[in-house]
Amino acid sequence: MFFHKKLSHTITLHPSFLGPRMREFVTKRLYKDVEGTCTGRYGYIVAVVAILDIQTGKIIPGQGSAEFVVKYSAILFKPFKNEVIDAVVEAVNPMGFFADAGPLRIFVAMKMLPTDMKLHMDSNPPSLRSDDQKIEKSTQVRIKLVGTRVDATNIYGIGTIKEDYLGVIE
Amino acid sequence: MMRMAKNRLERPVTEESLDAAQLELGVDFQDAECLLISEVKVLLEAQYDSKKEEKNLDEVYTKTLEYAQKFSRYTNRDTIKEVRALLKPTELEPFECAQLGNLCCNEYEEAKSLVPSIGSKISDEDLDSLLKQMDSLKKYQS
């Protein structure tokens, strides 16, 4: 799910930046620090929408650098267990298939597919087929997430299409 | 039985307890504004030129933009406004409204199956009528 949320970030500027273009440096540093990052708590911070407030900078005693607390709003993307999401198939292999929903990679294992779905590795491209559906690279599928996993830089989803109204989107 | 030390840190809420089916989004997102994929597309496209100029196109942004363009259901801002106006007077939570706008279900059974937290917050007839109105907006948008 995509969210629009207010967040806060602290930026430390070296004294050489404390001049007439200080605010510009603060905003540029915010974009660089925060956009494109991913955490378990907030999901992916896709883009900063607006800078809401830059508090007066505080000089760090003994260092000369200044600390700024910046309040901003951003577009966040965070997947949840039991959320239904549309995705694009990236690869089909004997374990199942991988699909991407924006920056999120989702894995759907063989046992999470309808029972009548069979793997065709020798077709070009490799595909999964049943009576009424064919899944191969670039197919659009509706997936229900059954779990998520977070590592240092990304979130991974685990999904199923074994329920009603899930699977290939016409 | 182990006695808890008085100064033991409170156990943080684990990711496992978050569940969209129960609408348990955690303290950070429980009251957060949810965006339609079409709204994300509008917002990201607005930034494209300046990001391209500053050579600031990171992977997360470009993948999300492509995704939003591919799965956006509504082609213009007026339609998005009208969809939001249809969803606002219902008793549905922001997450549920955004899901309905994104998934574009054909009938109420599908909507209730894909967004189970809806439950009985809205009657089947009202939900069906809402879905049909949203579908007309989509069909007749310019």
Side-chain angles (χ1 to χ4, degrees):
Chain A
M1 174 55 68
F2 288 100
F3 297 90
H4 181 222
K5 201 168 152 61
K6 295 195 178 91
L7 296 171
S8 166
H9 183 62
T10 306
I11 291 171
T12 307
L13 280 191
H14 185 269
S16 56
F17 293 107
L18 304 180
R21 291 171 62 201
M22 187 176 74
R23 279 184 86 85
E24 195 189 313
F25 289 129
V26 170
T27 45
K28 279 212 163 69
R29 176 73 71 80
L30 174 75
Y31 289 125
K32 193 161 79 80
D33 277 3
V34 135
E35 284 189 340
T37 60
C38 177
T39 57
R41 181 175 177 188
Y42 293 120
Y44 290 93
I45 299 182
V46 178
V48 171
V49 170
I51 308 255
L52 302 169
D53 180 56
I54 303 178
Q55 277 179 19
T56 316
K58 195 177 92 155
I59 304 284
I60 301 172
Q63 281 184 35
S65 321
E67 227 177 49
F68 296 85
V69 176
V70 184
K71 290 207 181 80
Y72 64 100
S73 72
I75 300 175
L76 267 50
F77 181 58
K78 181 170 170 159
F80 288 88
K81 181 172 86 175
N82 290 325
E83 179 185 346
V84 171
I85 194 165
D86 292 340
V88 179
V89 176
E90 261 313 297
V92 172
N93 64 50
M95 295 189 303
F97 71 87
F98 285 95
D100 286 349
L104 174 74
R105 168 139 295 189
I106 306 168
F107 174 62
V108 179
M110 288 301 265
K111 64 180 195 294
M112 299 296 204
L113 304 173
T115 38
D116 59 342
M117 235 174 184
K118 297 281 175 283
L119 175 66
H120 292 251
M121 276 312 281
D122 43 340
S123 64
N124 190 19
S127 61
L128 288 156
R129 299 184 204 196
S130 70
D131 286 336
D132 54 348
Q133 293 186 76
K134 183 171 85 157
I135 292 177
E136 58 187 14
K137 188 170 152 96
S138 301
T139 309
Q140 293 183 5
V141 279
R142 186 157 280 184
I143 301 174
K144 180 164 118 167
L145 293 170
V146 295
T148 57
R149 187 171 68 81
V150 183
D151 76 11
T153 49
N154 278 297
I155 307 182
Y156 303 95
I158 300 138
T160 180
I161 58 167
K162 206 172 180 171
E163 294 177 18
D164 292 334
Y165 307 110
L166 300 175
V168 175
I169 303 168
E170 298 308 320
Chain B
M1 176 85 146
M2 223 169 61
R3 222 162 23 110
M4 303 289 187
K6 284 210 177 75
N7 59 352
R8 186 175 191 272
L9 286 169
E10 237 188 60
R11 195 169 256 270
V13 172
T14 53
E15 287 290 308
E16 286 77 52
S17 58
L18 303 182
D19 184 352
Q22 307 291 330
L23 218 51
E24 259 145 45
L25 308 180
V27 80
D28 290 317
F29 292 99
Q30 205 61 47
D31 301 309
E33 186 190 332
C34 297
L35 294 172
L36 297 172
I37 296 176
S38 302
E39 289 167 329
V40 173
K41 171 171 142 338
V42 168
L43 288 168
L44 293 183
E45 277 178 346
Q47 295 192 359
Y48 182 75
D49 289 332
S50 71
K51 275 193 149 76
K52 187 153 189 220
E53 213 180 279
E54 298 187 15
K55 303 207 197 304
N56 203 11
L57 293 170
D58 66 87
E59 207 187 348
V60 170
Y61 172 84
T62 40
K63 279 189 169 169
T64 309
L65 176 60
E66 264 172 49
Y67 175 79
Q69 287 169 332
K70 190 167 255 172
F71 290 103
S72 167
R73 306 285 174 196
Y74 312 108
T75 52
N76 60 59
R77 293 185 193 212
D78 288 327
T79 317
I80 296 176
K81 271 207 198 87
E82 289 175 47
V83 169
R84 281 292 186 185
L86 278 177
L87 291 164
K88 195 159 192 281
T90 64
E91 295 276 304
L92 299 171
E93 298 292 323
F95 184 89
E96 294 161 341
C97 292
Q99 281 292 71
L100 289 182
N102 291 335
L103 299 175
C104 292
C105 304
N106 291 321
E107 4 119 277
Y108 72 85
E109 279 151 348
E110 185 182 352
K112 281 190 154 169
S113 175
L114 298 180
V115 195
S117 62
I118 290 180
S120 48
K121 285 180 196 160
I122 180 175
S123 73
D124 292 347
E125 296 84 45
D126 286 344
L127 182 53
D128 209 60
S129 155
L130 172 68
L131 294 173
K132 295 221 165 22
Q133 286 176 71
M134 282 169 63
D135 192 50
S136 303
L137 280 177
K138 194 165 65 124
K139 257 208 268 278
Y140 300 115
Q141 65 187 333
S142 48

